[in-house]
Amino acid sequence: MVAHAIANRVVVYYQTQYRNGVYVSPLPLIGYVTHLLLAAFHLNMGHTGPDIVHLNDFQPSDPFFAPMWPDIAALQGNGTKVIGMLGGAAPGTYDCLVDSLFDTYYPPLRDVIETYKLDGMDLDVEQSVSPATITRLILELKADFGEDFLITLAPVASALTEGGNLSGFDYIDLEANIGPHISWYNAQFYSGFGTIFPKDQYDRIINYEQGIDPSRVTAIVLTNPSNGFGYVSPENVVASIQDLMEEYGTGWGGVGGWEFFNSLPDDSRPEQWAITMKNAMQVQKAKIEAKQREIEAREAQERSAVRSRMFQRSAREN
């Protein structure tokens, strides 16, 4: 069974740990993000032992990350789930996980997950990968780390309606075959593969074929136009949040940002992007719940009035 995740997620990718030589701490995100996606883990073909797994340019144990790991633990201690992102734009990682190489390259990845107590893995597949390879990886991770271990996938948004796809396998088929083992999808709504504003493409994903529950589709957007093509301003993301929650209710999956270090509207305080998104969802949730309470109160009054009329009619007849 899938590890159930909270609704209204605020997901932030954290790949740039240093900006102009200065460490960028994720600690200001405490209380505002539900999940931090630590990017990007890679598997290196031909390497041996601990050098098989790199986090960006270094082994995870490198002194480069010395200030980061205590901060990661602090986020987890304050309720934020930390998920490692595996793959991304750099090719090669998933070539290491074909059946003939799996027993060589998977165990070091498993060891890193255990060592750093990651809460899950985000599988960002941007190379041609067979359905068998991605299925085996998902099932092995579940077997090793249990049902509470979060496994997310990061397709470009169009792949969830069988359009443009960087992964090689069909996500709709994957969802049909092993959907219960996938916690949710971090769908990339940028780089020409989709946009979150307006919300039409998100709607098409939910309504496509058998559909994916909107609680399991998190919309990932760019946090700064320098991070790629297809930037949407925080104001327009908020507008779509309002529309999407009006459509899908308070259980909606939420939004995420690529990436943390230079997030607008204020890249000197990049946590402001996450704060803006969390506040927008809280405000919309409160509006929806208040409206629901009004409806329930009106219906209760109507039922009471009906009972009163029936009682009066019965009294007259007797």
Side-chain angles (χ1 to χ4, degrees), residues 77 115 147 157 239 249 266:
T115 298
E147 294 306 321
D266 181 359

Side-chain angles (χ1 to χ4, degrees), residues 40-52:
F41 288 91
H42 302 283
L43 303 181
N44 296 300
M45 183 81 75
H47 293 226
T48 59
D51 198 49
I52 286 175

Side-chain angles (χ1 to χ4, degrees), residues 2 7 18 23 50 73 93 96 98 101 133-135 137 159-160 162 167 207 224 239 242 253 263 290 297 304 314 317:
V2 67
Y18 289 83
Y23 171 61
T93 288
C96 298
V98 298
L101 298 173
T133 294
I134 195 68
T135 296
L137 176 58
L160 294 179
E162 297 183 300
S167 305
N207 295 321
N224 189 305
Q242 293 168 344
S263 299
S304 178
S314 174
E317 291 174 352

Side-chain angles (χ1 to χ4, degrees), residues 11-19 22-29 33 35-41 55-56 64-73 75 80-85 118 122 220 223 227 256-263 270:
V11 171
V12 171
Y13 281 88
Y14 178 51
Q15 180 174 41
T16 301
Q17 283 85 31
Y18 289 83
R19 186 179 192 181
V22 178
Y23 171 61
V24 180
S25 172
L27 289 179
L29 292 168
V33 299
H35 301 81
L36 185 80
L37 296 171
L38 179 57
F41 288 91
L55 177 55
N56 299 321
F64 184 83
F65 298 114
M68 182 192 75
W69 289 118
D71 287 354
I72 292 296
L75 262 77
T80 299
K81 299 293 186 181
V82 175
I83 299 172
M85 189 199 97
L118 299 177
D122 180 54
I220 308 299
T223 60
N227 293 346
W258 179 273
E259 60 169 313
F260 171 55
F261 83 103
N262 63 350
S263 299

